[in-house]
């Protein structure tokens, strides 16, 4: 079953989707493209690499494949930096081709337009199967809910679920614990969400919680690190 969605345009000119049943957007109204770069690439992937400059391949787990924007930008990052990435994402309600084929992310930056073919490739890759999409990007997407997903060890977690007010079950402590247990020593989790209870739960799970500045329209976001020596 696909989500009932319609395409909208956010303030930076990039598309997002409006989920009609949840009455919620897939990205910030202030800019889907900018939000993804800020939250997941700059304060997630780049931050992890700064601490781990030669620790490859990088294993990424994403909660919520959605439009595929985070995965595509990560693929571009991997190719430009020539750093191998193993990317695993889950999505219980994949988009139909008539939706994802209209999304305008490949038009947002002329410098990376030549990676446009990979955006559709990510969507077209069969579900529940893994394989290389490009030289430096190995990809697997599972059509499954988080509670039922098999998680692999990860270095970076993109927690991009719908807001806690819309899908509180995805932010429950038991599911956060499942994700935390899959994180390798020194791993980082990053998300746009800055809710107090969410951050308290992460702290209780032993993560070092930080509050970096948020993307346009948000004062702050959340980044949480797992100790290099979690048993100590």
């Amino acid at each position: 079953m696909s989500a009932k969605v319609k395409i909208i345009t956010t303030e930076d000119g990039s598309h997002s989707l409006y989920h009609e049943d949840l009455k919620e957007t897939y990205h910030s109204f202030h800019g889907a493209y900018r939000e993804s770069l800020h939250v997941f690439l700059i304060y997630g992937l780049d931050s992890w690499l700064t601490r781990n400059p030669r620790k490859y391949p990088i294993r990424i787990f994403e909660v919520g494949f959605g439009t595929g924007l985070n995965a595509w930008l990560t693929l571009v990052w991997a190719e430009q930096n020539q750093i191998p990435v193993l990317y695993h994402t889950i999505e219980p309600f994949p988009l139909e081709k008539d939706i994802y084929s209209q999304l305008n992310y490949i038009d947002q930056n002329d410098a990376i337009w030549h990676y446009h073919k990979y955006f559709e490739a990510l969507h077209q890759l069969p579900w529940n199967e893994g394989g290389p999409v490009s030289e430096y990007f190995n990809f697997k997407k599972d059509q499954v809910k988080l509670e039922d997903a098999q998680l692999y060890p990860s270095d970076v977690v993109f927690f991009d679920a719908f807001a806690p007010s819309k899908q509180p079950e995805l932010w429950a402590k038991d599911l956060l614990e499942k994700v935390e247990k899959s994180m390798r020593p020194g791993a980082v989790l990053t998300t746009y969400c800055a809710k107090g209870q969410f951050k308290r739960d992460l702290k209780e799970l032993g993560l070092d919680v930080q509050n970096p500045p948020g993307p346009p329209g948000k004062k702050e976001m959340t980044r949480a690190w797992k100790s290099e020596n979690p048993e100590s």
Side-chain angles (χ1 to χ4, degrees):
M1 181 181 69
S2 297
K4 189 177 181 182
V5 298
K6 65 178 181 180
I7 296 174
I8 62 171
T9 301
T10 61
E11 288 182 0
D12 67 358
S14 63
H15 284 155
S16 185
L17 299 176
Y18 179 74
H19 193 297
E20 296 182 349
D21 291 335
L22 293 177
K23 294 180 172 39
E24 178 75 334
T25 60
Y26 278 55
H27 307 93
S28 167
F29 280 115
H30 296 279
Y33 192 88
R34 288 187 300 191
E35 179 186 45
S36 183
L37 284 175
H38 182 99
V39 174
F40 301 109
L41 275 294
I42 296 173
Y43 283 100
L45 188 49
D46 285 341
S47 295
W48 185 89
L49 187 65
T50 298
R51 291 193 179 190
N52 304 273
R54 288 175 294 277
K55 194 173 177 181
Y56 310 141
I58 303 174
R59 294 166 169 84
I60 299 177
F61 172 55
E62 178 189 35
V63 179
F65 177 62
T67 64
L69 177 57
N70 295 335
W72 181 65
L73 288 176
T74 303
L75 181 151
V76 173
W77 181 97
E79 293 299 314
Q80 290 187 323
N81 290 282
Q82 297 186 349
I83 293 175
V85 169
L86 305 178
Y87 197 104
H88 176 221
T89 184
I90 59 172
E91 176 59 62
F93 304 113
L95 300 177
E96 300 289 351
K97 184 175 182 178
D98 65 335
I99 295 292
Y100 70 70
S101 63
Q102 296 183 63
L103 297 173
N104 69 353
Y105 303 133
I106 63 175
D107 301 321
Q108 298 305 304
N109 185 339
D110 290 341
I112 62 174
W113 184 88
H114 56 288
Y115 295 101
H116 65 92
K117 65 180 181 180
Y118 294 114
F119 182 75
E120 189 150 326
L122 292 171
H123 283 276
Q124 291 180 341
L125 192 77
W127 287 90
N128 310 310
E129 298 179 18
V133 178
S134 65
E135 183 176 358
Y136 292 95
F137 194 80
N138 199 289
F139 183 64
K140 185 173 190 282
K141 57 181 181 179
D142 288 329
Q143 187 176 350
V144 66
K145 293 182 178 180
L146 180 56
E147 56 264 37
D148 300 319
Q150 176 189 352
L151 304 189
Y152 308 102
S154 59
D155 299 305
V156 182
V157 175
F158 295 167
F159 207 92
D160 201 15
F162 284 114
S165 60
K166 302 296 182 177
Q167 286 191 322
E169 67 278 5
L170 284 173
W171 303 82
K173 190 176 179 181
D174 60 333
L175 286 186
L176 295 178
E177 183 175 18
K178 177 178 181 176
V179 173
E180 182 274 330
K181 286 183 179 300
S182 74
M183 295 168 66
R184 304 169 81 192
V188 66
L189 179 151
T190 184
T191 181
Y192 65 88
C193 178
K195 295 292 185 182
Q197 185 60 54
F198 169 63
K199 292 188 286 188
R200 288 190 291 273
D201 287 342
L202 293 179
K203 289 179 181 178
E204 289 178 8
L205 292 172
L207 299 180
D208 176 21
V209 177
Q210 302 171 337
N211 305 301
K218 283 187 69 71
K219 181 179 179 180
E220 62 182 39
M221 50 172 278
T222 301
R223 182 172 61 193
W225 295 90
K226 188 165 185 174
S227 171
E228 291 280 359
N229 303 292
E231 302 303 323
S232 62

